[in-house]
């Protein structure tokens, strides 16, 4: 048994058969149209005329009237067009026996050429598809590589930024620690200085107090107070209402240099005019005489105002 013809060759045979049948049908239709055109009758012309013979003209002198002419031939109605030919039917599928019959040599050559052309086209299409697939795969690989590179650079940039931030924070913490240490050292130095100053002031105060106590225990303080009392009594102007034996306690506030800034009269046996005259006398006595020893200086003094009559 012979080998069956390939499916592609069978379809080529079918296509050629359909083309031959179509050409045959077209030739038949064209011939029928030519035949129909030749079989149509020629159109007749209707002429209304009278036929006169020579005898009638010579013998009788009268014109014999010709018999009436038959009516003109009526044109035949056109024949109805034949129905259109049925559409060409596809050729029947070849049977197994027909497939075993080898085609003619020229058809076999055409089928072989068509098969080779189809095979070449399929191979070219396959090569193009493979090239497209390889190109797409290469583009996808390049895109993936670019994405990976971008991610890697982003990770590196994030790591660099994190390291820079960590360094910045460490440097800021170190500077803050240095500032705190410097502030602590300055605070301790200031405290030590203040303590030293306090100790020095305390020492000076103790020494001044001891010196003042020593001076007050001597006659210098009494002498200075007597000078102040004499200065105020000298500046006093006796009012008319003053009586004999005036005895008043006067609180005098002074600043360094002896300037009197405040005067207040305490217990006093004089009237209002006497009290006012004593205050005026204390202000007029300013500045008060300085102490013989600066250690004896007192801001607040209490003087017993008891003028001699």
């Amino acid at each position: 048994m012979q080998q069956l013809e390939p499916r592609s060759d069978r379809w080529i045979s079918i296509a050629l058969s359909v083309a031959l049948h179509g050409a045959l049908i077209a030739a038949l239709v064209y011939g029928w149209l030519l035949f129909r055109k030749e079989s149509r009758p020629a159109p007749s012309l209707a002429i209304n005329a009278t036929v006169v013979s020579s005898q009638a003209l010579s013998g009788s002198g009268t014109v014999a009237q010709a018999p009436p002419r038959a009516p003109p031939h009526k044109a035949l109605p056109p024949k109805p067009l034949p129905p259109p030919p049925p559409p060409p039917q596809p050729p029947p599928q070849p049977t197994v026996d027909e497939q075993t019959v080898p085609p003619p040599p020229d058809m076999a050559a055409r089928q072989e050429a068509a098969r080779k052309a189809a095979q070449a086209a399929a191979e070219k299409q396959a090569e193009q598809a493979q090239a497209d697939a390889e190109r797409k795969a290469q583009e996808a690989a390049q895109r993936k590589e670019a994405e990976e590179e971008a991610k890697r650079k982003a990770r590196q940039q994030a790591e660099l930024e994190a390291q820079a931030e960590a360094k910045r924070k460490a440097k800021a913490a170190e500077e803050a620690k240095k500032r705190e240490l410097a502030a602590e050292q300055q605070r301790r130095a200031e405290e030590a200085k203040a303590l030293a100053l306090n100790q020095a002031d305390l020492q000076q105060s103790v020494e001044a107090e001891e010196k003042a106590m020593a001076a007050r225990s001597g006659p210098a303080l009494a002498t200075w107070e007597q000078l102040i009392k004499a200065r105020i009594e000298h500046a006093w102007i006796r009012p008319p209402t003053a009586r004999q034996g005036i005895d008043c306690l006067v609180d005098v506030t002074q600043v360094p240099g002896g300037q009197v800034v405040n005067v207040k009269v305490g217990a006093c046996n004089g009237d209002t005019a006497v009290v006012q005259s004593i205050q005026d006398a204390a202000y007029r006595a300013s500045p008060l005489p300085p102490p013989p020893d600066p250690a004896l200086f007192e801001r607040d003094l209490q003087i017993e105002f008891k003028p001699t009559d």
Side-chain angles (χ1 to χ4, degrees):
M1 184 176 181
Q2 295 181 357
Q3 187 176 2
L4 295 177
E5 185 179 359
R7 183 178 298 271
S8 60
D9 295 343
R10 185 179 63 185
W11 281 109
I12 293 173
S13 301
I14 293 172
L16 292 175
S17 178
V18 170
L20 291 175
H21 281 80
L24 181 60
I25 291 171
L28 292 175
V29 172
Y30 181 72
W32 176 78
L33 291 174
L34 291 177
F35 174 77
R36 179 186 173 191
K37 184 177 181 180
E38 293 176 357
S39 63
R40 288 181 181 178
S44 59
L45 297 177
I47 301 174
N48 190 6
T50 302
V51 179
V52 180
S53 64
S54 59
Q55 294 177 3
L57 292 175
S58 61
S60 60
T62 61
V63 178
Q65 189 175 0
R69 187 178 56 85
H73 175 71
K74 295 182 179 181
L76 296 176
K79 294 182 179 180
L81 296 176
Q89 298 293 331
Q93 295 293 335
T95 61
V96 176
D97 295 336
E98 291 175 350
Q99 293 177 359
T100 58
V101 177
D106 56 345
M107 184 177 295
R110 289 194 296 271
Q111 290 178 356
E112 182 64 20
R115 185 183 65 79
K116 289 183 178 180
Q119 184 177 1
E123 291 178 354
K124 185 176 182 181
Q125 186 176 4
E127 291 178 356
Q128 184 66 29
Q130 184 177 1
D132 293 341
E134 291 178 354
R135 179 178 55 81
K136 291 180 179 179
Q138 186 177 3
E139 291 177 354
Q142 291 177 354
R143 286 195 300 269
K144 185 175 181 181
E145 185 178 358
E147 291 176 356
E148 293 294 334
E149 182 67 16
K151 291 180 179 178
R152 184 181 64 81
K153 290 183 178 180
R155 287 194 299 269
Q156 290 180 353
Q157 183 66 23
E159 291 176 357
L160 292 176
E161 291 178 356
Q163 292 176 1
E165 182 66 16
K167 289 181 179 179
R168 186 185 64 80
K169 289 182 177 179
K171 185 177 181 180
E174 185 178 358
E175 291 179 354
K177 188 175 181 181
K178 287 181 179 180
R179 288 193 299 269
E180 291 178 358
L181 182 59
E184 181 67 19
Q185 291 177 355
Q186 184 177 0
R187 183 181 63 80
R188 290 181 180 180
E190 290 177 355
E191 289 179 354
K193 184 178 180 180
L195 181 60
L197 291 175
N198 291 335
Q199 289 178 354
D201 292 342
L202 181 60
Q203 184 66 27
Q204 291 178 1
S205 298
V206 170
E207 292 177 355
E209 185 67 25
E210 289 178 353
K211 187 177 181 181
M213 288 178 64
R216 289 187 182 96
S217 62
L221 180 59
T223 303
W224 181 47
E225 289 178 353
Q226 288 296 327
L227 292 174
I228 293 174
K229 180 180 178 182
R231 174 73 66 87
I232 295 173
E233 289 178 355
H234 181 73
W236 179 60
I237 299 174
R238 179 185 290 270
T241 58
R243 60 181 181 175
Q244 300 292 327
I246 294 175
D247 190 2
C248 300
L249 293 177
V250 183
D251 294 328
V252 179
T253 302
Q254 65 173 344
V255 294
Q259 186 70 32
V260 177
V261 294
N262 189 22
V263 178
K264 183 179 180 182
V265 178
C268 183
N269 57 1
D271 57 7
T272 304
V274 173
V275 172
Q276 185 63 43
S277 64
I278 294 173
Q279 290 179 348
D280 294 341
Y283 281 113
R284 281 194 296 268
S286 179
L288 301 177
D293 189 349
L296 295 176
F297 180 81
E298 292 288 345
R299 286 178 57 86
D300 297 324
L301 299 175
Q302 191 173 44
I303 306 298
E304 184 180 3
F305 184 79
K306 191 175 181 182
T308 58
D309 297 333

